[in-house]
Amino acid sequence: MPIATVNPANGETLKTYEPMGEEELERRLQLAEATFRTYRTTTFAERARLMHQAADLLDEDEPEIGRVMTLEMGKPLKQARAEAAKCAKAMRWYAERAEALLADEQPAASDVTDSGASRVRVRYRPLGPVLAVMPWNFPLWQVVRFAAPALMAGNVGLLKHASNVPQTALYLEDLFHRAGFKEGCFQTLLIGAGAVDGVLRDERVKAATLTGSEPAGRAVAATAGAMVKKTVLELGGSDPYVVLPSADLDRAAEVAVTARVQNNGQSCIAAKRFIVHGDVYDAFAGKFVAGMEALRIGDPLAEDTDVGPLATEQGRADLEELVDDARRSGAEVLCGGQRPDGPGWYYPPTVLAGIHRDMRIHREEAFGPVATLYRAGDLDEALLIANDSPFGLSSNVWTRDADEVERFARDLEAGSVFVNGMTASHPAFPFGGEKRSGYGRELSGHGIREFCNITTVWQGA
């Protein structure tokens, strides 16, 4: 497969790169291993200094790297620039907190005495080179939320980015190098998907993290399991968005539109299944559809564009298949549902109603601006529909009833439950899912410890 920047707004190939050969790949693996030996002993203060410099550079580069992301995968420019700003925020968050998050832990004095020790410490030590296999939908953020904690913990990173965002991938290596990190601390591997297995099997690579499709996650997990290596996987979601009678319907409908079409609908944590109590279904549906129809579709480089093209031609074809299958099976198209004429891989904001379990879109993730509407008779049925999915990444619940909040917080099968607000990731909060959405956590203290060797240091009298 070619490694190329193809503008999804018009299908034009802007830049093409040759994949790395075996000799260059070997050089980079050697460099990662050698660099780790010394980088692991640097102080938190030194790592923080470098990470702050990277954040400052990213702030300066925001206009240009935002434009690059938009040209590579089609997100509206204002969203691309916001993504860059969010990355700089995460870098600073870890630069300022990593030392405290990874401080030695002291067991209870009674347990130390009971073990026959004079002192016991639990220490977090870096693992080594970590392979990151990353997707195109948030080409900067997905990488930084791995790289910032990994580098602050003393690991070094090897990035295998999606093949349609090579300029962003190369920018990230250059960013960390310009910030002062040694050359081998963070490297981009311009390789195809077929080369990932060999890199992961290499003994110098100690762990891997992947955000992407379920098949890709299964492949990486299988290889890592065979090699007995740690992995963190985030494999997508089909997040429920539950609206109950006590909700602020105007606000719930307004946020629902953004929650579905953010990043042109290509977000793992985008709300996708809208489950509405029968008492407020008609009112919510009317407001939601009106909001979806009002969105401006167009050139993602234009400041007033709400929804740009899908990132790939195949992605649009996959989305169309899901919509067509639902339509053939009896779904009602409340808006959208037809690809527009003209160049680019555009697809309109679409709302489908009358969804049932035999439709593919009920079971599969719709990666684009397509929403499915469900009518629930009561809270129990809403919860049943919400959990009737192979995925469990995040979720949204709209209610002003405290008991309902606690019920959904207890029983929703998801890594996050957002109440009266849109799912979003933040450096301070753990991010990840359950079921086929993957395992492990990114961000927060949980995320930085994922790629650490948790070491007990026991000292006798």
Side-chain angles (χ1 to χ4, degrees):
M1 291 291 290
I3 296 176
T5 294
V6 180
N7 186 350
N10 55 25
E12 179 186 356
T13 299
L14 302 179
K15 285 193 177 183
T16 303
Y17 301 84
E18 286 296 319
M20 286 179 179
E22 292 185 8
E23 184 176 330
E24 176 62 11
L25 183 56
E26 172 60 23
R27 184 189 75 81
R28 286 173 176 258
L29 289 170
Q30 289 181 10
L31 180 59
E33 182 184 45
T35 301
F36 173 66
R37 294 194 197 107
T38 55
Y39 181 69
R40 68 186 298 275
T41 65
T42 57
T43 64
F44 281 107
E46 174 61 9
R47 296 173 204 166
R49 183 183 69 81
L50 297 173
M51 192 62 68
H52 274 295
Q53 289 180 178
D56 292 343
L57 287 171
L58 182 52
D59 280 339
E60 294 174 10
D61 296 344
E62 180 188 305
E64 182 54 33
I65 189 56
R67 181 178 175 83
V68 168
M69 285 190 284
T70 294
L71 288 173
E72 289 205 301
M73 57 72 56
K75 69 172 73 230
L77 182 59
K78 57 191 174 185
Q79 295 181 26
R81 296 188 63 171
E83 180 176 337
K86 182 176 183 177
C87 290
K89 176 181 178 178
M91 288 175 172
R92 294 186 177 100
W93 193 91
Y94 275 108
E96 294 162 6
R97 293 168 175 82
E99 185 171 11
L101 293 171
L102 298 180
D104 287 358
E105 296 177 6
Q106 311 294 328
S110 59
D111 292 328
V112 173
T113 301
D114 184 62
S115 75
S118 62
R119 184 186 182 194
V120 178
R121 291 167 287 157
V122 177
R123 173 159 291 182
Y124 294 94
R125 298 189 296 168
L127 293 179
V130 180
L131 174 65
V133 182
M134 294 287 110
W136 46 260
N137 59 331
F138 290 93
L140 210 63
W141 171 244
Q142 302 277 17
V143 179
V144 167
R145 75 183 191 192
F146 146 75
L151 289 170
M152 285 305 303
N155 295 299
V156 300
L158 295 164
L159 170 64
K160 190 288 176 206
H161 217 325
S163 293
N164 61 327
V165 290
Q167 292 185 73
T168 305
L170 292 170
Y171 167 80
L172 283 157
E173 179 180 298
D174 180 64
L175 173 68
F176 287 114
H177 185 66
R178 285 188 289 136
F181 286 93
K182 292 182 64 175
E183 184 184 1
C185 283
F186 186 91
Q187 299 180 82
T188 287
L189 307 180
L190 283 184
I191 56 176
V196 170
D197 187 77
V199 174
L200 186 52
R201 289 182 183 276
D202 193 290
E203 292 291 347
R204 291 165 292 192
V205 175
K206 302 305 181 184
T209 179
L210 177 142
T211 298
S213 69
E214 187 181 335
R218 288 180 184 274
V220 165
T223 297
M227 301 302 295
V228 196
K229 294 182 180 181
K230 175 70 176 291
T231 54
V232 171
L233 303 179
E234 194 262 274
L235 306 180
S238 190
D239 291 1
Y241 189 102
V242 180
V243 182
L244 298 172
S246 66
D248 178 340
L249 287 188
D250 288 335
R251 181 63 179 156
E254 178 186 3
V255 173
V257 172
T258 303
R260 185 62 203 98
V261 303
Q262 60 175 324
N263 207 44
N264 303 337
Q266 302 163 122
S267 171
C268 300
I269 56 171
K272 300 184 176 81
R273 297 178 296 130
F274 295 81
I275 303 158
V276 187
H277 192 286
D279 290 353
V280 292
Y281 178 91
D282 290 337
F284 175 85
K287 296 173 187 294
F288 181 46
V289 170
M292 293 284 275
E293 290 179 321
L295 294 168
R296 186 183 296 271
I297 307 166
D299 180 0
L301 289 172
E303 290 291 341
D304 60 350
T305 291
D306 298 311
V307 180
L310 298 188
T312 67
E313 190 171 16
Q314 184 60 52
R316 181 173 68 172
D318 292 343
L319 190 67
E320 285 181 305
E321 286 183 13
L322 287 180
V323 173
D324 290 344
D325 173 80
R327 185 187 283 114
R328 287 192 300 268
S329 299
E332 181 183 2
V333 181
L334 302 184
C335 68
Q338 296 289 338
R339 80 157 68 175
D341 295 330
W345 302 316
Y346 290 89
Y347 197 81
T350 298
V351 180
L352 304 177
I355 306 300
H356 56 73
R357 299 188 79 247
D358 294 334
M359 296 175 182
R360 287 178 54 201
I361 203 166
H362 176 76
R363 305 184 305 274
E364 301 177 28
E365 180 179 20
F367 219 56
V370 175
T372 52
L373 266 176
Y374 297 78
R375 185 191 300 265
D378 56 23
L379 182 148
D380 289 333
E381 186 180 9
L383 188 58
L384 186 67
I385 297 170
N387 287 337
D388 187 24
S389 170
F391 300 104
L393 189 54
S394 188
S395 60
N396 302 261
V397 180
W398 288 78
T399 176
R400 288 181 280 201
D401 184 304
D403 290 338
E404 291 176 347
V405 170
E406 290 308 309
R407 174 73 187 282
F408 278 88
R410 184 192 72 186
D411 292 342
L412 262 176
E413 297 168 356
S416 302
V417 179
F418 278 68
V419 180
N420 298 332
M422 187 179 82
T423 294
S425 54
H426 185 283
F429 309 137
F431 180 87
E434 60 172 290
K435 299 193 284 189
R436 293 186 188 176
S437 288
Y439 52 75
R441 291 295 181 267
E442 297 177 284
L443 303 176
S444 77
H446 297 280
I448 197 172
R449 298 184 194 108
E450 286 281 8
F451 296 117
C452 289
N453 177 6
I454 305 173
T455 309
T456 297
V457 182
W458 187 98
Q459 294 176 243

